[in-house]
Amino acid sequence: MSEEERLYLLGEYDALVQNIVSSIDCQWLSEPRHIYFAENKTVQLKKAKGLGFNIPPTLITNKRDMVKTFYDQHDGNIVIKPISKTRIDYQDQPGFIFTNVVGEDVIKDLDSFDMNPCILQKNIQKEYEIRVTVVKDKVFAAAVDSQEDEATKVDWRRKKLDFRETRLPKTIEKKCVQLVKECKLGFGAIDMIKTMENEYFFLELNPNGQWAWIELQTGQKISEAIINGLT
């Protein structure tokens, strides 16, 4: 089977799953059609900004000159991340695309790269990072000390780190609940940054994010909230 045929079949199976789950009439925590819509990163950023979240200065482009200008505007302190897919399914094993710093060497050699559309943001200096799990009107915040390891300073997913329960200001909790409701979801996993200046920055919303490992590490009763949300 050729690579083109394999990708076509994977697309058909994905479409089949979407068709099946979208046509099931049952009690959903979040309806599949709303999950698909909420996965749109530009929609998330727009809605979060509208609710008053701090958002890192952001550029979505595949234009080299715009990347260079953005890099200069922020004194060479920017990161790059995918718009959608963070996983590449190679035939032998999957590969993962993490958030990365855009270095000066990349900018100097930018003309030699094939530029696909991507998200660039100012690299916000962190005290720590937060995963906020929202189930209906319940908020479970867990912090990860990503800055204590050089490998995880830009993206905590590069290593298995321990999360701990933390508290958010009530204003931030409210905005998290509002954002999930704005996206017509009953569940959402929000990634945020807390700065040394005690500011909170929204990064993204995962409308179908994993949560079990946070419950195991922190003891937060997320599964109980999900059960209650379904019943």
Side-chain angles (χ1 to χ4, degrees):
M1 182 185 299
S2 69
E3 180 67 10
E4 292 79 10
E5 291 170 335
R6 189 177 75 88
L7 291 173
Y8 171 79
L9 289 175
L10 285 173
E12 287 296 283
Y13 276 108
D14 186 53
L16 173 64
V17 172
Q18 290 193 29
N19 274 263
I20 290 173
V21 298
S22 297
S23 62
I24 296 174
D25 185 17
C26 66
Q27 177 69 27
W28 296 99
L29 193 58
S30 301
E31 289 188 38
R33 61 195 176 99
H34 296 318
I35 292 175
Y36 301 141
F37 177 75
E39 287 175 338
N40 186 313
K41 295 291 193 300
T42 55
V43 168
Q44 296 175 14
L45 289 166
K46 184 177 179 181
K47 287 185 177 295
K49 186 175 182 180
L51 289 170
F53 277 105
N54 289 323
I55 304 292
T58 301
L59 172 69
I60 301 176
T61 188
N62 66 340
K63 302 292 186 182
R64 295 180 182 84
D65 57 340
M66 295 182 72
V67 173
K68 292 175 182 177
T69 299
F70 191 72
Y71 178 86
D72 291 338
Q73 285 174 342
H74 299 290
D75 301 318
N77 187 32
I78 63 172
V79 295
I80 186 169
K81 61 177 72 171
I83 292 176
S84 175
K85 300 292 185 182
T86 59
R87 171 174 167 148
I88 302 176
D89 289 312
Y90 297 110
Q91 290 188 346
D92 51 347
Q93 63 179 7
F96 296 92
I97 304 172
F98 297 105
T99 300
N100 288 283
V101 169
V102 179
E104 185 180 3
D105 56 335
V106 172
I107 295 297
K108 285 181 177 178
D109 202 30
L110 198 59
D111 291 337
S112 67
F113 288 96
D114 290 326
M115 283 290 297
N116 63 287
C118 54
I119 298 174
L120 297 120
Q121 291 183 317
K122 180 181 178 181
N123 186 18
I124 304 298
Q125 299 306 304
K126 312 161 186 173
E127 180 181 356
Y128 54 82
E129 296 180 70
I130 307 168
R131 167 60 70 92
V132 186
T133 305
V134 178
V135 185
K136 295 294 183 69
D137 59 350
K138 303 291 184 184
V139 177
F140 304 91
V144 59
D145 294 311
S146 57
Q147 304 309 287
E148 294 182 358
D149 191 314
E150 194 64 35
T152 59
K153 282 187 173 182
V154 179
D155 194 326
W156 60 261
R157 296 171 299 174
R158 288 183 179 274
K159 279 190 175 181
K160 182 176 173 56
L161 299 178
D162 290 330
F163 281 71
R164 54 183 170 78
E165 185 173 14
T166 190
R167 297 297 299 270
L168 294 172
K170 289 296 181 182
T171 54
I172 301 297
E173 282 193 356
K174 272 188 175 180
K175 288 174 184 176
C176 289
V177 172
Q178 285 178 314
L179 178 61
V180 172
K181 287 182 177 178
E182 281 271 323
C183 293
K184 300 181 180 180
L185 303 171
F187 172 95
I190 299 170
D191 288 325
M192 301 188 68
I193 289 170
K194 182 182 180 295
T195 71
M196 300 295 277
E197 293 74 33
N198 210 34
E199 292 183 303
Y200 292 83
F201 279 80
F202 170 88
L203 292 180
E204 62 181 60
L205 164 69
N206 189 330
N208 203 25
Q210 297 180 32
W211 51 268
W213 100 91
I214 292 179
E215 179 169 281
L216 289 171
Q217 290 184 2
T218 66
Q220 294 172 314
K221 297 182 179 180
I222 301 173
S223 57
E224 181 178 302
I226 290 173
I227 292 168
N228 291 335
L230 287 168
T231 55

